Amino acid sequence: MSETADNLVELPQMREAMLAERALGDWLVQNGHVQAEDLDRAVQIQQAAGGRLWPLLVRIGAISEDLLLQTLSERLGVPYLQQSADLPDSLEVYHFMSESPIKLEWFIDHAALLWRDGEELKCIARDIFDEVLLETLDYFYPQQSIGFHLAPAHQIDRLVDFVRKERAIEGLFAGDNAKQLREMAEEAPVIELVNNLLSQAVDMEASDIHVEPSEENFAVRMRVDGVLHTRLTQPVERFPAVASRIKLISAIDIAERRLPQDGRITARISGREMDIRVSTVPCAFGESVVLRLLPKEREDLKLKNLGMAPDHLQMFRTWLTTSNGIILVTGPTGSGKSTTLYAALEETDDGVRKIITVEDPVEYQMPNITQIQTHAEIGYTFARALRAILRQDPDTIMIGEIRDLETAEIAIQSALTGHIVLSTVHTNDAISSFTRLIDMGVEPFLVASPIRGVQAQRLVRRPCARCARPAPPPSLLAEHLAALPEGMVGQQWVEAVGCDACQKTGYRGRLGIYELVPMSAELQDMIVAGATLNDMKAFARRQRCRTLFQDGLIKASHGMTTLDEVTRLTLT
């Protein structure tokens, strides 16, 4: 290789960087980006199988690719083309490489892309430090300046796929039978893509990953703080491979695409032990794949960490100390009901009670608690499971959801015979849970008798601590604030702004807002007498039960959330 070539200005630095892989790995550990045991594992794999250390860290889920590339860019001075807008047009790349003296097949084999930007050639590749790549480009493009750049693997794969398709070569991801699908799922690029998506999701503290195919592309969206954000789009030809990889590691039949399926993954990702619940459902252009991420160790699975005001926390704990009865948690999907129930179980688990849960599915695996997964497809429903567990001598029973009359009646019988029953129903507020049970067919006196209290809840986003700024409340709130308990309203109102730390959303993290309604003799009489929903709500207000909106206002006044969040979730 000629040492005078312009494109070698950066190359000695790259080669030096190649020799310092372990040093960079140690730096990642020291700065908390990678766990020491994950680095050791990657080094062992490298020693046994070869390859570059950095991609191995991504492949085993020790670090997200984005964080790794940012670190490499800063440490080595190599530009990182992070945004799609920084990358060239696919057709432009194809036309330039098809006219290159280097064969297209060579570029495809090395996952390398070359294009002209003004007077400069630019190159991105899976491994821009590959000696073969550097020597080949230097040989065919002597005395030309080549700017080497880092780019996300999925963007490189997208461009390589486009080049491959333009050459009318049979794509890697064709085929329908199980053997071909398994082979696709075990290809290194697919493994890297899926592992990288999981690592990104954990780093972003996402609760869900949605993989959604359309006619020409498939999108990957991640739910962060309750809001979906698109992370990448890929050609739809790649979807079968990605879906098959997810199915393979979650023990789902990879050849079945006509029926819904459920699976589970247990893995260490970005240094955290995770349970991942996988659901696939057939749709117009293939299958919708959703992964629910559930950290095994969660500090927020404690009542005191859920964001309840002191008076609400004390009331809920009082309900849990009763010897029998039903405690209901209500709210729409994604409002944190299951987390509240798990926190309640953790609170009541004193080592002397027999606690059994019936769930669909089991989300968090808890020690010292018997957790039962229902299987409706074989007839093992909530009601059937409840009948069986009553013979297991439980003290506390948690029912994932009361969905029908049969389940509701067994739950009520359990409460009336000396058990504490915790469960959820889907209603918009606490009082509506009474009418919901009556609508199911439960007699009003059976609704009034066993219930000890009902809690409605929503999850509001916390403002980002870095960019939130003070914002006085609108004067229109004066009447609402005056109706709140004296001494509970603060003066720390803030509004969301958005910065790099919060992905420009203005928010980071969530907490609950709550409406708690304890059962009283007067309320029991109203239920039995068939009082209207509005009459019962008016009674609850007279008893000083705060609405979700009022509880949200109190938390917004202390800077724990924003007024926009409270109104978005309670007034729309």
Side-chain angles (χ1 to χ4, degrees):
M1 232 167 110
S2 170
E3 292 299 325
T4 62
D6 291 341
N7 61 318
L8 287 182
V9 174
E10 300 94 345
L11 301 193
Q13 297 173 354
M14 294 183 182
R15 293 196 180 92
E16 183 179 345
M18 290 166 54
L19 301 176
E21 283 188 303
R22 182 57 196 249
L24 178 64
D26 292 336
W27 184 88
L28 289 170
V29 171
Q30 292 168 8
N31 285 269
H33 298 316
V34 171
Q35 300 293 318
E37 53 267 36
D38 289 331
L39 176 61
D40 292 339
R41 180 183 169 202
V43 170
Q44 291 174 1
I45 296 173
Q46 183 187 38
Q47 292 171 346
R52 193 80 69 224
L53 179 63
W54 305 329
L56 286 174
L57 289 171
V58 175
R59 288 191 66 184
I60 66 173
I63 186 174
S64 70
E65 181 191 47
D66 184 58
L67 180 57
L68 177 65
L69 293 181
Q70 287 184 26
T71 304
L72 286 174
S73 177
E74 294 167 3
R75 297 268 295 178
L76 305 179
V78 181
Y80 174 27
L81 305 182
Q82 185 175 8
Q83 304 298 326
S84 298
D86 299 329
L87 293 163
D89 178 74
S90 304
L91 200 56
E92 175 187 343
V93 173
Y94 171 73
H95 286 318
F96 182 85
M97 295 198 324
S98 64
E99 298 172 1
S100 169
I102 306 173
K103 291 184 177 181
L104 268 179
E105 287 78 3
W106 185 91
F107 283 113
I108 293 171
D109 290 343
H110 288 78
L113 299 139
L114 191 67
W115 70 98
R116 184 174 295 282
D117 185 4
E119 295 299 318
E120 184 186 33
L121 295 182
K122 289 188 175 182
C123 177
I124 57 175
R126 276 280 184 165
D127 184 2
I128 62 172
F129 308 110
D130 180 13
E131 283 286 344
V132 175
L133 171 68
L134 300 177
E135 292 178 2
T136 301
L137 293 178
D138 183 50
Y139 178 82
F140 283 99
Y141 295 96
Q143 306 300 323
Q144 292 196 45
S145 174
I146 299 180
F148 292 88
H149 296 73
L150 297 167
H154 71 266
Q155 295 285 14
I156 295 172
D157 289 342
R158 176 180 64 82
L159 290 168
V160 170
D161 277 347
F162 182 87
V163 171
R164 182 187 288 113
K165 287 170 65 178
E166 288 297 308
R167 289 284 291 172
I169 297 174
E170 185 68 23
L172 168 66
F173 306 103
D176 291 328
N177 64 54
K179 181 179 179 181
Q180 289 173 312
L181 290 170
R182 184 175 293 274
E183 289 174 354
M184 292 191 301
E186 292 175 348
E187 289 288 339
V190 179
I191 294 173
E192 278 192 39
L193 175 59
V194 173
N195 286 353
N196 181 50
L197 289 174
L198 293 174
S199 295
Q200 280 189 36
V202 172
D203 289 346
M204 294 172 62
E205 297 184 356
S207 60
D208 303 86
I209 303 173
H210 294 246
V211 186
E212 303 165 329
S214 61
E215 187 173 5
E216 297 182 354
N217 300 296
F218 76 90
V220 177
R221 300 197 291 169
M222 297 184 184
R223 189 180 296 279
V224 181
D225 296 334
V227 179
L228 283 171
H229 302 272
T230 300
R231 295 299 297 171
L232 65 90
T233 57
Q234 291 276 281
V236 74
E237 289 82 2
R238 299 199 66 197
F239 177 77
V242 174
S244 296
R245 178 63 189 170
I246 296 171
K247 288 181 177 182
L248 186 66
I249 60 179
S250 58
I252 292 177
D253 183 357
I254 61 176
E256 178 57 73
R257 291 182 292 179
R258 300 165 299 171
L259 298 172
Q261 296 189 85
D262 295 303
R264 201 179 193 99
I265 305 168
T266 299
R268 183 182 178 86
I269 304 170
S270 288
R272 300 179 66 184
E273 296 293 333
M274 303 291 294
D275 278 329
I276 303 171
R277 199 177 75 211
V278 180
S279 170
T280 67
V281 175
C283 63
F285 298 104
E287 293 175 283
S288 172
V289 182
V290 177
L291 297 86
R292 169 67 60 88
L293 279 67
L294 306 166
K296 284 191 174 182
E297 297 180 3
R298 287 190 57 180
E299 287 296 323
D300 58 349
L301 280 181
K302 296 182 182 295
L303 283 178
K304 64 180 182 181
N305 296 335
L306 300 184
M308 290 187 188
D311 59 334
H312 280 172
L313 181 59
Q314 180 59 43
M315 183 183 298
F316 195 89
R317 282 174 166 165
T318 300
W319 295 350
L320 292 176
T321 59
T322 57
S323 59
N324 59 73
I326 297 176
I327 301 169
L328 289 178
V329 179
T330 78
T333 300
S335 59
K337 300 187 299 297
S338 295
T339 299
T340 298
L341 290 184
Y342 281 117
L345 293 180
E346 192 274 340
E347 183 97 359
T348 59
D349 182 18
D350 53 10
V352 298
R353 299 190 190 192
K354 173 73 170 183
I355 302 175
I356 301 180
T357 73
V358 182
E359 306 171 62
D360 181 23
V362 174
E363 291 195 8
Y364 296 104
Q365 296 175 348
M366 304 186 69
N368 308 319
I369 293 176
T370 303
Q371 295 175 269
I372 298 172
Q373 165 84 55
T374 63
H375 293 283
E377 64 273 12
I378 61 172
Y380 194 42
T381 61
F382 275 102
R384 188 169 181 179
L386 280 170
R387 290 194 189 93
I389 67 173
L390 288 176
R391 295 190 290 271
Q392 294 279 310
D393 189 29
D395 297 295
T396 301
I397 300 169
M398 191 267 270
I399 306 170
E401 181 185 350
I402 295 178
R403 301 177 178 177
D404 51 46
L405 175 60
E406 189 177 13
T407 304
E409 288 178 338
I410 298 174
I412 291 169
Q413 292 169 8
S414 302
L416 293 174
T417 54
H419 303 91
I420 299 176
V421 178
L422 294 89
S423 190
T424 70
V425 290
H426 282 279
T427 59
N428 289 325
D429 54 59
I431 294 294
S432 297
S433 61
F434 305 136
T435 56
R436 174 79 179 98
L437 292 174
I438 293 171
D439 289 342
M440 286 184 189
V442 180
E443 293 293 336
F445 74 92
L446 288 177
V447 173
S449 179
I451 293 179
R452 297 291 173 259
V454 183
Q455 171 180 290
Q457 65 180 69
R458 300 288 189 279
L459 291 178
V460 294
R461 293 181 290 176
R462 295 179 182 269
C464 174
R466 291 193 182 183
C467 63
R469 64 187 179 197
S475 58
L476 296 175
L477 288 179
E479 183 179 345
H480 293 286
L481 296 175
L484 295 175
E486 187 176 352
M488 296 192 74
V489 180
Q491 299 299 324
Q492 292 83 44
W493 302 86
V494 298
E495 65 180 0
V497 178
C499 64
D500 291 338
C502 59
Q503 309 289 323
K504 306 295 185 183
T505 63
Y507 299 94
R508 191 167 182 85
R510 290 192 291 178
L511 80 158
I513 56 174
Y514 303 94
E515 175 189 21
L516 274 70
V517 176
M519 184 63 75
S520 63
E522 295 89 342
L523 189 54
Q524 285 180 328
D525 290 341
M526 294 182 73
I527 295 171
V528 173
T532 66
L533 182 62
N534 287 335
D535 287 343
M536 288 189 284
K537 287 182 178 180
F539 173 79
R541 300 293 83 80
R542 292 195 298 272
Q543 298 301 304
R544 310 296 291 178
C545 296
R546 294 195 298 277
T547 64
L548 289 166
F549 178 66
Q550 290 174 325
D551 194 50
L553 282 184
I554 291 172
K555 286 165 182 170
S557 73
H558 290 280
M560 301 166 69
T561 186
T562 65
L563 182 60
D564 286 343
E565 270 295 282
V566 174
T567 55
R568 179 177 72 89
L569 286 167
T570 61
L571 299 183
T572 57

